[in-house]
Amino acid sequence: MKSLRNRLNITQMMTTRFLWAFVAVLLTAMTACQNEEGLRLHYDFSRTTDAGTTVKDASGNGYSGKVHNEASFETLGNIGVLNLGENNGYLDMGLKAGELINQLEDFTIALYLFVDEDTDLNAHGNFVWNFGNSDNMATDQNGSMFFSARTTGYTISRRHWSGEEVVSRSRTFPKGQWHHIAYVQSGGTGTIYFDGSRTAQGALSLLPSVLGETTHNYIGKSSYRGDAYLKNAKLAEFKIYDRALKDEEMDRFIELTKKLQEATIEQQLKATAENVFSGELKNVVADIDLPTSAASEITITWRSSNPDALSAIGAIKRPETGAKPANVTLTGEFTKNGQSYSKDYNVMISPWLSDQAAVEKDAENLEISGNLNNLRSDLDLPSIGIEGASIQWQSSQPDFLSNSGELLSLSPTGKGQQKVLLTAEVSKGSESVTRDFEVHVAEDEGHVAYLFSYFIGNGPGEEAIFYSISQDGYNFKALNNNRPIIAADTISSRGGVRDPHILRAPDGYFYMVVTDLYVPNDGWSGNEAMVFLKSDDLVNWTHSVVNIAENFSEFEDVLRVWAPQSYYDEEEGKIMVYWSMLQPGGYDIIYYAYANEDFTGLETVPQQLLYHPDEVACIDGDIVYKDGIYNLFFKTEGAGNGIKRAVSDRLTEGYEVQEPFLQKTNDAVEGSCVFRLINTDTYILMYDVYSRGTYQFTKSTDLESFEIIDESISMDFHPRHGTVIPITQDELNAITKKWGRP
């Protein structure tokens, strides 16, 4: 009995000691942040509530933050991280954080930051953190302080961009790696520390208290409406101190930077290993593409358990007909910065099929790439199938399309498409089958040149309609000695016209729309109208001024009517005109309406055409129809400035904005125009690089990926925003008879 009591006492003592030790550890962990001198706010991004949408303030001061727009919290290694994601995610630190900002004199704001390599940091915005008094600072002008990844710099202002005081590295934040960044203000001196070292310093007269208790306090979001969010960025250990950290205190942040980077590389290696192959490696019948490198500077090496069946470069040797499949273990070694990750893949290589099965399989899987419904280019006809069958081709119309797939001639103008039957004979050994493909050769469009209409500048006499001609769509020559072909003061209510766009309509007429604006008098917010013009020969034009403010009470306060274009709506049998408008307190929006029958005005009230998800200014729309999709190219201002594309299967609604920006320059651009080269499937996207007084030309076959072709372009003039249409020989003759040959 005594022994039992002794054992119980010993157990109680051990339990008590364990509980005290546990409490001590817990209290130490809970008070560790509080023991850090001057720490007023601390997000370690690991203490979350509300189903993972709210992060608690680890300092114990109650400054909780809530994520929005699919931003999320995750663990990297054993470190809590805020992932801002790709959908304009951000963290709202709440009103209480503004109380803290109002109290700061000497202070430090520090964090670890990772920005994805594909994030565009050149756009305005990209705020890492922001404390302000509005989400529309350009209009409200009531002050903010922020740190931007665009400049790796700190800014504070009582108003907006006017009166800004700045300390900056004047370069974009380095992408693809973790770095520690700290802004420290001591008295009137602001200092930026990058990975523990001073990298920028400057004098400031403004303290955060000049902003009062800020109301719009964010991580990853700007106070300026339309600014770019900081996308695909991750943050760790966000801290605000009410004191200026010293140089010698910065070293303690270096170790965690290394850990975050190592954990990120491990994550990258595993993700690459999981996604290196697009499908299962079963029933393999062709060589495997084994990449030796991947995104994020990852290198890959390969080993095979059976090199005779599958080599380390992906070459396979299939078992003979009737044999069992060959099973191979393929090992990938993924490496970056000295870290490695290995993964095994089970590969099953199928044996050869019988001759009969081979020809049937190859015939079944036979495909021809290209636009078979309206062929304008050569076809690449396969000569051997995946199962080893040979393929011979026969054309029913070899004068148009040869047996080898060469397009020898288009269908004559006015004759419609030419139908061609391509027959493939698929054979192996003594077995053979045939398969037919119907091809429609495109009709010759009957165009011989390109007409580029444009204006040339913002000064007197420059805002007018000019013409130039090109024989190939690459080399343009000005007509009329680069003088206007229509005097602006004869058609404009303001004294100038800009942004000409010409539509060739099914009725045989040409319809031109232009901006009615004279910048020397009107500035950039002083026009209410556009001009409609109509012609049957591109030489003689009638015109009408269409004043939006006078004709539509809904827009009587309109500040600008810009860059109209037109499109023939086949369903309505009418010409749709679309353009951008600005009203007080808003931003430029692209609208549309239908023109009346004689093209002297609008018969419907303007309706919004494009709804940008970021609610930013959109101008210079240009619609191109391709493969059942309407592609609306436009310039966006605010959420990054540049050319974007929105797509819809309906002309007047449903447009969804696509990523990324399409311009191939860091210079400011506007006025995009897309036209297709005559009798080809190649599209030209050109845009006005107005800050350099030049145009940039790019080309594409899918309207998604564009490549620069500036080296092929020449002009003997300096155009501003204009558009290009193809023209016939008769039209070219009439134009050059009037204004001379270039």
Side-chain angles (χ1 to χ4, degrees):
M1 190 70 177
K2 182 177 180 181
S3 175
L4 177 60
R5 283 198 300 270
N6 288 339
R7 287 198 299 270
L8 288 172
N9 288 336
I10 292 172
T11 301
Q12 290 172 345
M13 289 174 61
M14 292 179 64
T15 301
T16 301
R17 288 176 180 175
F18 172 78
L19 287 173
W20 276 112
F22 175 77
V23 170
V25 170
L26 182 62
L27 289 173
T28 299
M30 292 178 63
T31 60
C33 295
Q34 297 172 342
N35 290 338
E36 195 172 351
E37 181 185 353
L39 184 60
R40 298 291 303 280
L41 183 154
H42 178 198
Y43 295 139
D44 63 9
F45 302 120
S46 62
R47 309 170 193 220
T48 62
T49 60
D50 299 333
T53 62
T54 300
V55 60
K56 290 184 176 181
D57 174 15
S59 75
N61 293 319
Y63 299 109
S64 296
K66 186 176 182 64
V67 289
H68 297 271
N69 296 347
E70 300 182 33
S72 61
F73 305 111
E74 60 186 48
T75 299
L76 191 58
N78 60 351
I79 306 164
V81 168
L82 167 63
N83 187 344
L84 294 176
E86 61 182 4
N87 296 309
N88 295 341
Y90 67 97
L91 184 139
D92 186 346
M93 292 179 274
L95 290 173
K96 188 175 179 180
E99 299 174 7
L100 171 59
I101 297 303
N102 187 42
Q103 299 168 12
L104 297 179
E105 293 181 358
D106 289 359
F107 68 96
T108 300
I109 302 181
L111 67 143
Y112 298 86
L113 177 63
F114 177 92
V115 179
D116 188 84
E117 293 169 348
D118 293 331
T119 299
D120 178 15
L121 293 180
N122 292 309
H124 287 288
N126 282 301
F127 286 10
V128 180
W129 49 261
N130 170 71
F131 298 92
N133 289 308
S134 170
D135 64 357
N136 191 9
M137 192 61 60
T139 299
D140 297 337
Q141 303 184 25
N142 52 6
S144 67
M145 56 182 271
F146 60 85
F147 196 95
S148 173
R150 181 172 183 258
T151 60
T152 317
Y154 168 78
T155 300
I156 184 170
S157 174
R158 295 175 186 268
R159 296 182 60 202
H160 52 5
W161 55 80
S162 63
E164 286 184 344
E165 294 187 357
V166 178
V167 179
S168 174
R169 299 187 75 205
S170 300
R171 68 193 73 171
T172 57
F173 189 88
K175 296 187 286 188
Q177 284 191 311
W178 280 95
H179 297 281
H180 187 264
I181 194 83
Y183 174 73
V184 179
Q185 187 159 332
S186 177
T189 301
T191 304
I192 294 174
Y193 290 86
F194 186 81
D195 288 337
S197 300
R198 289 191 185 194
T199 58
Q201 192 169 65
L204 303 99
S205 64
L206 299 178
L207 295 176
S209 57
V210 302
L211 305 175
E213 297 181 356
T214 53
T215 56
H216 293 69
N217 308 306
Y218 308 125
I219 293 176
K221 180 182 177 181
S222 168
S223 277
Y224 290 86
R225 184 168 298 172
D227 265 6
Y229 289 72
L230 184 59
K231 293 183 178 180
N232 296 316
K234 297 181 180 182
L235 296 88
E237 293 294 319
F238 181 88
K239 296 181 178 182
I240 300 179
Y241 301 81
D242 63 3
R243 67 182 183 90
L245 296 188
K246 299 175 182 178
D247 287 359
E248 56 269 24
E249 295 181 89
M250 292 297 168
D251 290 343
R252 60 188 165 107
F253 297 114
I254 296 175
E255 186 61 31
L256 187 56
T257 307
K258 294 178 181 178
K259 291 182 179 179
L260 285 164
Q261 185 62 20
E262 290 171 356
T264 296
I265 290 175
E266 181 181 0
Q267 188 180 69
Q268 291 172 340
L269 295 174
K270 290 181 178 180
T272 301
E274 289 298 324
N275 297 292
V276 69
F277 298 116
S278 58
E280 292 186 351
L281 298 175
K282 295 181 179 180
N283 301 316
V284 174
V285 295
D287 291 347
I288 303 172
D289 180 18
L290 298 181
T292 58
S293 62
S296 303
E297 300 180 347
I298 293 172
T299 59
I300 311 172
T301 56
W302 300 94
R303 299 190 311 275
S304 170
S305 65
N306 184 352
D308 292 335
L310 173 62
S311 75
I313 61 173
I316 68 168
K317 182 178 180 181
R318 296 176 65 176
E320 296 299 322
T321 303
K324 292 182 178 180
N327 292 295
V328 181
T329 299
L330 179 67
T331 302
E333 185 82 16
F334 301 83
T335 305
K336 178 179 179 179
N337 292 358
Q339 293 178 235
S340 295
Y341 176 76
S342 294
K343 183 175 175 61
D344 290 339
Y345 305 88
N346 296 318
V347 182
M348 186 180 75
I349 302 172
S350 295
W352 286 105
L353 300 179
S354 67
D355 289 352
Q356 179 181 354
V359 297
E360 291 175 352
K361 190 73 170 179
D362 281 344
E364 178 185 353
N365 292 332
L366 188 56
E367 294 180 352
I368 304 176
S369 60
N371 188 357
L372 305 189
N373 294 320
N374 198 40
L375 188 66
R376 295 193 182 102
S377 58
D378 296 343
L379 292 175
D380 184 12
L381 300 178
S383 60
I384 190 167
I386 198 72
E387 293 294 341
S390 64
I391 306 171
Q392 299 291 325
W393 295 90
Q394 188 73 33
S395 170
S396 66
Q397 299 287 342
D399 292 340
F400 289 94
L401 184 62
S402 74
N403 294 337
S404 62
E406 183 181 1
L407 182 63
L408 300 176
S409 176
L410 294 172
S411 179
T413 304
K415 297 295 185 179
Q417 295 177 324
Q418 174 64 53
K419 180 180 175 181
V420 178
L421 193 67
L422 273 179
T423 300
E425 183 179 11
V426 185
S427 59
K428 188 176 184 182
S430 60
E431 302 294 333
S432 178
V433 297
T434 61
R435 182 176 173 188
D436 292 335
F437 293 85
E438 191 172 288
V439 180
H440 297 272
V441 174
E443 177 184 358
D444 190 320
E445 295 173 320
H447 298 137
V448 300
Y450 302 84
L451 173 65
F452 181 11
S453 56
Y454 57 95
F455 75 105
I456 62 172
N458 302 325
E462 296 178 336
E463 293 175 297
I465 299 170
F466 296 74
Y467 273 179
S468 71
I469 293 293
S470 173
Q471 301 293 330
D472 58 7
Y474 291 83
N475 302 284
F476 289 84
K477 299 284 188 180
L479 297 182
N480 200 30
N481 293 318
N482 202 30
R483 295 193 301 265
I485 59 98
I486 300 176
D489 57 7
T490 65
I491 61 174
S492 167
S493 69
R494 308 301 303 175
V497 294
R498 304 163 64 95
D499 319 317
H501 175 268
I502 299 174
L503 168 70
R504 180 193 297 273
D507 62 5
Y509 282 90
F510 297 94
Y511 297 88
M512 187 192 305
V513 286
V514 295
T515 304
D516 186 359
L517 173 66
Y518 187 51
V519 169
N521 289 341
D522 299 333
W524 297 111
S525 296
N527 77 306
E528 304 171 341
M530 47 191 163
V531 182
F532 288 8
L533 301 97
K534 183 177 180 180
S535 173
D536 62 0
D537 60 4
L538 294 169
V539 175
N540 301 290
W541 296 88
T542 60
H543 74 277
S544 301
V545 174
V546 181
N547 191 295
I548 299 298
E550 292 179 359
N551 292 327
F552 301 100
S553 60
E554 300 92 331
F555 302 99
E556 62 183 6
D557 61 350
V558 67
L559 297 175
R560 55 191 181 216
V561 175
W562 279 6
Q565 296 204 174
S566 58
Y567 193 97
Y568 184 74
D569 186 336
E570 293 184 356
E571 290 187 7
E572 295 290 334
K574 298 177 181 180
I575 293 175
M576 183 193 84
V577 181
Y578 55 101
W579 70 97
S580 67
M581 287 195 292
L582 173 69
Q583 291 178 274
Y587 49 89
D588 300 85
I589 294 172
I590 297 178
Y591 290 85
Y592 79 93
Y594 288 98
N596 58 23
E597 188 172 353
D598 56 5
F599 206 65
T600 58
L602 297 172
E603 66 178 26
T604 61
V605 177
Q607 302 292 321
Q608 188 166 346
L609 178 64
L610 174 65
Y611 292 83
H612 196 290
D614 296 332
E615 297 185 351
V616 296
C618 299
I619 62 174
D620 299 344
D622 184 30
I623 296 176
V624 179
Y625 182 76
K626 181 181 184 299
D627 300 334
I629 297 296
Y630 295 94
N631 298 266
L632 171 57
F633 293 82
F634 64 97
K635 178 188 179 182
T636 179
E637 296 184 315
N641 298 340
I643 308 302
K644 280 200 172 180
R645 181 177 68 106
V647 298
S648 176
D649 59 1
R650 293 158 291 173
L651 176 61
T652 60
E653 61 182 328
Y655 286 96
E656 297 182 359
V657 177
Q658 308 296 297
E659 298 291 346
F661 286 103
L662 299 177
Q663 73 274 11
K664 300 299 181 180
T665 175
N666 290 327
D667 294 306
V669 300
E670 65 183 15
S672 64
C673 164
V674 178
F675 65 95
R676 184 173 51 78
L677 294 179
I678 297 167
N679 289 328
T680 77
D681 292 319
T682 298
Y683 290 83
I684 302 297
L685 165 63
M686 65 182 199
Y687 37 82
D688 183 358
V689 190
Y690 59 90
S691 61
R692 290 197 283 115
T694 186
Y695 255 80
Q696 183 164 82
F697 277 61
T698 63
K699 71 176 182 179
S700 172
T701 57
D702 60 9
L703 297 183
E704 296 180 13
S705 302
F706 292 85
E707 62 176 288
I708 299 173
I709 55 170
D710 288 347
E711 71 283 353
S712 303
I713 305 301
S714 69
M715 296 180 180
D716 63 353
F717 56 99
H718 298 285
R720 296 293 312 280
H721 186 179
T723 52
V724 174
I725 63 168
I727 56 175
T728 66
Q729 186 65 57
D730 288 343
E731 292 158 359
L732 176 62
N733 292 341
I735 291 170
T736 54
K737 180 179 179 180
K738 175 70 174 179
W739 291 293
R741 289 192 173 274

